[in-house]
Amino acid sequence: MAFQAAIPPGGTWFDTLKKSFVDVPVDLSNGNAIPTSEFLEAAESLTTLFDLLGSLAFTPVKNDMIGNIKKVRDRQLASPNESSTIQSLVLNELKSKKHTSAEGLLWLVRGLDFTSQALRHTLQNPDVELSTSFRNAYTGTLKPHHSFMVKPIFSAAMSATPYKKDFYVKMGNEEKAKVDMAKWLDALEGQVKVLKEFQERKEAKW
């Protein structure tokens, strides 16, 4: 499980990440292949954001994402020679008539999409509070796929976000955090787009 490291003086939360999506190489010459280890490490690093938000209400959100990361990583560990990229991992698993990691990835991508949309809205709308940005992102990504049992748990988390001014204090240096966030989001959004398009392909379905 990922835990938030201390923010260095003058730095931001992004400086504490073990792996950033900015540092995940996407192989454009090989069908936008995304390396499995680097991607999962960046996704795991992202989960410390939910600690930063500072409410126990986000624990189920974090645990859900970590659980989906584990499903993908378990497949990688079981069949490393067939799992160097996220795409090859899923396609090779599906050939074996299983879909545990493919389903885990589907939910992981939805969770990453939710996070990126919430933070992008936060960045682009300085006068809007986090709770609105997170609720809007949840409505457009995870909520349509959640059961009646799960929706109230996640909705409670959306309302437990800190005020924006307090969020940026937690982030570290506010101006640097905004610059770092924009770069990080560009990379994350690009990888989410690649994987969503991949998951729409016939051979990636089960």
Side-chain angles (χ1 to χ4, degrees):
M1 186 177 291
F3 295 97
Q4 185 194 339
I7 295 173
T12 71
W13 171 76
F14 297 96
D15 296 317
T16 72
L17 301 180
K18 188 175 179 183
K19 175 71 71 174
S20 169
F21 287 102
V22 174
D23 300 319
V24 177
V26 179
D27 190 348
L28 301 179
S29 65
N30 186 27
N32 289 324
I34 295 175
T36 303
S37 294
E38 289 92 333
F39 176 77
L40 293 180
E41 200 170 353
E44 198 166 47
S45 295
L46 175 151
T47 64
T48 65
L49 174 71
F50 302 117
D51 300 325
L52 194 75
L53 290 169
S55 170
L56 289 176
F58 274 96
T59 301
V61 181
K62 178 180 179 177
N63 289 344
D64 184 69
M65 193 173 286
I66 288 173
N68 289 316
I69 292 168
K70 183 179 185 301
K71 288 178 182 177
V72 181
R73 184 172 279 138
D74 284 349
R75 173 66 189 183
Q76 180 194 21
L77 294 173
S79 302
N81 294 334
E82 298 181 340
S83 306
S84 61
T85 69
I86 290 291
Q87 292 94 328
S88 63
L89 180 151
V90 169
L91 295 177
N92 283 309
E93 182 197 41
L94 292 175
K95 288 176 186 175
S96 70
K97 307 301 181 186
K98 298 176 183 176
H99 61 262
T100 302
S101 70
E103 188 171 2
L105 179 68
L106 179 66
W107 281 101
L108 176 57
V109 170
R110 286 170 179 167
L112 295 175
D113 194 17
F114 151 70
T115 308
S116 67
Q117 287 193 31
L119 292 180
R120 178 64 73 184
H121 191 269
T122 295
L123 207 55
Q124 292 179 337
N125 296 273
D127 297 327
V128 176
E129 283 297 341
L130 252 67
S131 56
T132 299
S133 297
F134 273 75
R135 271 197 298 268
N136 288 347
Y138 177 60
T139 299
T141 54
L142 289 167
K143 189 174 182 178
H145 307 288
H146 276 164
S147 68
F148 289 111
M149 296 284 286
V150 174
K151 284 176 183 175
I153 298 171
F154 274 66
S155 293
M158 302 311 112
S159 299
T161 52
Y163 289 114
K164 182 175 281 187
K165 61 180 178 62
D166 297 327
F167 173 66
Y168 280 122
V169 169
K170 291 170 180 281
M171 272 277 175
N173 183 308
E174 180 173 344
E175 290 311 309
K176 185 176 184 296
K178 290 176 180 177
V179 173
D180 291 351
M181 189 187 298
K183 294 176 183 176
W184 183 80
L185 283 172
D186 285 344
L188 171 56
E189 288 164 347
Q191 289 162 52
V192 166
K193 182 175 184 290
V194 165
L195 291 175
K196 286 174 75 173
E197 290 174 352
F198 165 71
Q199 289 169 333
E200 285 301 312
R201 286 163 45 183
K202 184 178 179 181
E203 64 268 31
K205 295 181 180 293
W206 62 90

